[in-house]
Amino acid sequence: MKGKSLFDRLGGYSAIVTLVDSLVSRLEADPQLGRFWANRGTDGILREKQLLVDFLCKESGGPMYYCGRDMLTTHKGMNITPEDWQIFLQYLSLVLDQASVDEPERSEVVEFIKGLSDRVVETEIAASA
């Protein structure tokens, strides 16, 4: 296994698609986090999933090209709170368990995702207009 990318160790493109599908479905159904998808059409959600797959594949060493915006621009103004982030991390853990992702891959995924928090979570939530 030494020398293989995280992308390969996770099982490649198909495995990442499965993880993303499961994760986004759970997030959409969550009573608190579902608000981020409440007014999105099916096409928009499918595009978002594909961008997430591309991003994760690229960042894990896969052969994908990510053509989306950076994480800060993408999440600016969404009012994602620290509580939202913790709920998201719980779903991530659940999805990794469901997919039987073992160590050290699990820790690598979690640490990478946690490293995005400063570009996703807004520390100052804008007052509602």
Side-chain angles (χ1 to χ4, degrees):
M1 285 248 190
K2 200 162 188 131
K4 282 189 169 186
S5 67
L6 178 58
F7 173 82
D8 289 326
R9 290 181 285 133
L10 287 170
Y13 183 83
S14 294
I16 291 174
V17 167
T18 299
L19 288 171
V20 167
D21 281 341
S22 180
L23 180 61
V24 173
S25 294
R26 291 170 189 275
L27 298 174
E28 284 181 277
D30 182 83
Q32 181 167 329
L33 302 183
R35 73 186 189 272
F36 299 114
W37 291 274
N39 297 307
R40 302 279 313 272
T42 303
D43 185 58
I45 293 170
L46 290 174
R47 177 168 164 62
E48 182 178 324
K49 282 183 180 181
Q50 186 61 57
L51 286 168
L52 182 55
V53 167
D54 293 350
F55 177 75
L56 294 174
C57 286
K58 177 190 172 290
E59 293 298 318
S60 64
M64 301 300 292
Y65 177 76
Y66 173 67
C67 63
R69 297 172 296 178
D70 63 89
M71 292 297 108
L72 186 60
T73 302
T74 297
H75 297 92
K76 185 175 176 119
M78 291 180 67
N79 298 330
I80 298 172
T81 67
E83 183 182 358
D84 294 334
W85 184 251
Q86 289 305 312
I87 294 168
F88 165 78
L89 291 175
Q90 290 171 0
Y91 282 115
L92 175 64
S93 182
L94 184 67
V95 166
L96 293 172
D97 285 345
Q98 177 186 8
S100 301
V101 175
D102 293 323
E103 293 295 340
E105 292 78 15
R106 179 189 184 88
S107 290
E108 287 181 56
V109 169
V110 170
E111 288 309 307
F112 167 72
I113 297 298
K114 283 183 176 180
L116 299 173
S117 67
D118 64 334
R119 289 167 270 169
V120 174
V121 177
E122 295 188 81
T123 55
E124 293 183 38
I125 304 302
S128 297

